Amino acid sequence: MKTNLYNQCKTFPILNGFLIIFLLAGCSTTEEINYRGEGEYWEAFLMLRFEDDSFNGTEKFQISYKGELEDLSEISSLEYSFETIDGTTRSRVTETYSKDTYPQTVNFTYTGLASGDMRGEESVIVIIKWDEFKESFELK
C-alpha cells in the first residue's frame, strides 16, 4: 500500500506540469481576419493574422485567374495590389515575363507583414493589371 501511494504522489507533479503548460498555451490568442471577393476575370483572398494583441502581423494575399492558363501565356506583366477604402495602398506585387518565361499557374500568392491598423477595415479593394487590362473589385 505504501508503494502505491508513493507512485501516485510521484506522478502528481508531472501531471500538474502538463496542466500548467496546457493552460498557458491556451492563453495566447490569434486574431485572423479574412477577406474574399471576385471580379469578372479574377478572384482574391486576403488573410491577416495577428498574435497576442501585437500591432504587426502577417498577411497572405492570393489572386487566382478564373480562365485558362493558356490565356496568360502571352502576358508581359502582372501587377496586383490591395488598398484600403480610403485609397492607401498596402501591398503591391509586380511580375514581368518574356516570351521564354510566362506564368506557370493561375494562382499568385504574396506573403508579408501586415499592419495592425488594418484590423478595423470592413473591406479592401483589389487592383489587378495585366498588360493593357485592369480589373478592380472589393473584398469583404
Side-chain angles (χ1 to χ4, degrees), residues 70-82:
E70 296 81 39
D71 298 345
L72 300 177
S73 65
E74 305 268 331
I75 68 170
S76 60
S77 67
L78 172 66
E79 178 182 291
Y80 53 101
S81 61
F82 72 90

Side-chain angles (χ1 to χ4, degrees), residues 59-105:
E59 69 184 33
K60 180 180 178 182
F61 180 35
Q62 180 177 345
I63 64 169
S64 299
Y65 183 66
K66 293 164 76 173
E68 300 296 322
L69 179 59
E70 296 81 39
D71 298 345
L72 300 177
S73 65
E74 305 268 331
I75 68 170
S76 60
S77 67
L78 172 66
E79 178 182 291
Y80 53 101
S81 61
F82 72 90
E83 59 186 41
T84 57
I85 297 298
D86 69 3
T88 304
T89 300
R90 294 302 185 161
S91 292
R92 176 176 285 135
V93 178
T94 303
E95 299 182 16
T96 55
Y97 304 99
S98 68
K99 66 180 180 177
D100 297 327
T101 62
Y102 53 88
Q104 302 297 308
T105 181

Side-chain angles (χ1 to χ4, degrees), residues 30-33 47-51 56-59 114 119:
T30 300
E31 180 183 5
E32 188 174 293
I33 305 166
M47 179 190 69
L48 306 174
R49 175 175 273 168
F50 302 95
E51 303 285 336
N56 293 317
T58 58
E59 69 184 33
R119 284 183 165 135

Side-chain angles (χ1 to χ4, degrees), residues 20-29:
I20 290 171
I21 291 171
F22 179 74
L23 289 173
L24 289 176
C27 292
S28 66
T29 59

